[in-house]
Every structure is written in C-alpha cells, then in structure tokens.
C-alpha cells in the first residue's frame, strides 16, 4: 500500500515501558538492532502487540522446522498476495539464510526452482502456500506429500501454522500501510 501509514508508528522512545520491553524482545530474538515497522505500527496497543509478537515468535522463530523454510513460505505467499512489506522483509531474511545453501552469490528467492534447494523445502513451500491462499483445498494428499518429504506430524502442524501466520502478517502490514524499514533495506543481500 502506498502512502502514509494508517496506524500510528510508535518509536522506541515514544513507547510506554511495556511496549519498549516487547520491542527489546523482538530485536533480540530477530537478531537485528532496530524495531521493525510491523511491530511499531502496533505500539499503541501493548496487549495486541504482545499477542502478535508471541504468535510470531512461537510460529516463526521457535520449533523444529528450519527457519529458512518458514521465511520462504512467508516470502512466497506475500509475493503472490502483493504484500510489499512482508515480501520484501522476508525476502531479505530468506536470502541471508540462503547463502548457507548456495554461497554468497546465491539469491534463494530468485532461484526457488534451483536443484540445490532441498526437495523437502520445495514441497513445504508449495503445500503451505496452497494452504495459505486456498485452505479449503488442503487434503490428505497434501499431508502425505509432506510426510514423504520427511516431515513428521509435529513439523507438519508447524508448517501449516505458517499459513495462518502469513495471513496475519500480511493483513496487518496491508491494513496499516507501513513502509519497508530503511534499516532493513540497508542490510539487504
């Protein structure tokens, strides 16, 4: 969404102590020295911010599924939905992680069909993108594909939770009208 943010962006210095504490948690857990606009646009509501942060943290950061798969899912769904904020932010995170797979010159988001990307990643990306965009079409055959790709039942639940998470991320980013963080663009790979 172009233009001014529809939600008030609450900077760290303007935030109440409870919100500052959450901001500090996001920086530490995400390994970045700044607070993302996605969090700052919720800084007027500590209860909402806490709930959304805990959901993001539990679903994206924690768990057994490699974070790069989760980042790629969010990037892929966000791109298809044309959520500029989430597509850009999660492409940056995925591309930084993708260097471990393909080397310093490898941009994973531009090479999702590459043979160096594990089949399990591609299967998860395809099935969970389908789940996020068309949840009514998910069936046993999709779960069977994930099992065949090597995921266990707990990991499949974790993957499917990404469909829910990306829907929340995209909705808040699009409704708020936030712009991609300058600090994030500066670390783009």
């Amino acid at each position: 969404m172009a233009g001014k943010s529809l939600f008030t962006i609450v900077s760290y210095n303007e935030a109440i102590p409870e919100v500052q504490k959450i901001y500090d948690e996001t920086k530490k857990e995400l390994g970045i020295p700044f607070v993302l606009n996605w969090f700052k646009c919720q800084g007027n509501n500590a209860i909402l911010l806490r709930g959304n942060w805990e959901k993001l943290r539990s679903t994206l950061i924690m768990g057994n599924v490699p974070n790069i798969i989760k980042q790629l899912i969010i990037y892929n769904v966000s791109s298809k939905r044309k959520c500029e904020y989430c597509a850009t932010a999660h492409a940056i995170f995925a591309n930084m992680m993708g260097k471990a797979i393909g080397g310093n010159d490898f941009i994973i988001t531009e090479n999702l069909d590459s043979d160096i990307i594990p089949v399990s990643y591609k299967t998860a990306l395809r099935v969970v993108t389908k789940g996020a965009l068309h949840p009514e079409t998910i069936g046993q055959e999709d779960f069977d594909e994930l099992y065949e790709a090597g995921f266990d039942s707990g990991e499949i639940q974790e993957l499917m939770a990404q469909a829910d998470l990306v829907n929340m991320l995209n909705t808040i980013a699009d409704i708020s009208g936030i712009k991609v963080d300058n600090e994030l663009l500066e670390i783009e790979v």
Side-chain angles (χ1 to χ4, degrees):
M1 177 175 197
K4 185 177 185 246
S5 175
L6 299 175
F7 290 172
T8 301
I9 300 295
V10 180
S11 72
Y12 187 90
N13 293 334
E14 298 169 325
I16 63 173
E18 184 179 356
V19 169
Q20 286 180 341
K21 180 181 177 189
I22 299 166
Y23 283 177
D24 287 338
E25 291 172 19
T26 70
K27 293 188 300 183
K28 180 181 178 197
E29 295 276 340
L30 295 172
I32 54 177
F34 57 93
V35 180
L36 292 169
N37 286 337
W38 192 86
F39 297 110
K40 290 191 286 190
C41 80
Q42 300 171 69
N44 278 330
N45 188 328
I47 293 170
L48 178 70
L49 177 61
R50 170 59 67 196
N52 287 339
W53 163 237
E54 290 301 331
K55 180 177 182 170
L56 185 147
R57 186 170 139 329
S58 298
T59 309
L60 179 63
I61 298 171
M62 300 171 75
N64 295 321
V65 173
N67 190 265
I68 188 169
I69 297 174
K70 297 174 183 182
Q71 295 289 350
L72 286 170
I73 290 166
I74 296 170
Y75 159 75
N76 197 47
V77 173
S78 300
S79 294
K80 291 183 182 310
R81 280 216 178 98
K82 300 188 182 349
C83 177
E84 180 184 350
Y85 183 87
C86 292
T88 302
H90 291 277
I92 291 168
F93 291 127
N95 287 332
M96 286 189 306
M97 294 174 195
K99 292 189 180 311
I101 294 172
N104 285 337
D105 293 333
F106 186 67
I107 300 175
I108 195 166
T109 57
E110 294 177 7
N111 294 285
L112 293 176
D113 293 327
S114 172
D115 291 338
I116 65 171
I117 298 175
V119 172
S120 61
Y121 288 29
K122 293 177 187 179
T123 302
L125 184 60
R126 185 177 40 72
V127 171
V128 181
T129 296
K130 176 182 171 184
L133 298 174
H134 306 287
E136 72 285 356
T137 65
I138 293 292
Q140 185 61 50
E141 65 280 358
D142 298 300
F143 279 69
D144 291 343
E145 280 189 67
L146 291 169
Y147 283 120
E148 289 171 20
F151 297 103
D152 64 30
S153 60
E155 292 168 330
I156 292 171
Q157 283 182 310
E158 197 177 318
L159 285 167
M160 289 304 180
Q162 299 312 305
D164 175 55
L165 179 65
V166 69
N167 288 334
M168 178 189 79
L169 296 172
N170 287 179
T171 299
I172 291 172
D174 284 342
I175 288 173
S176 70
I178 54 176
K179 294 185 183 272
V180 177
D181 311 73
N182 289 332
E183 300 94 336
L184 195 56
L185 293 172
E186 289 173 8
I187 62 170
E188 189 169 1
V189 289

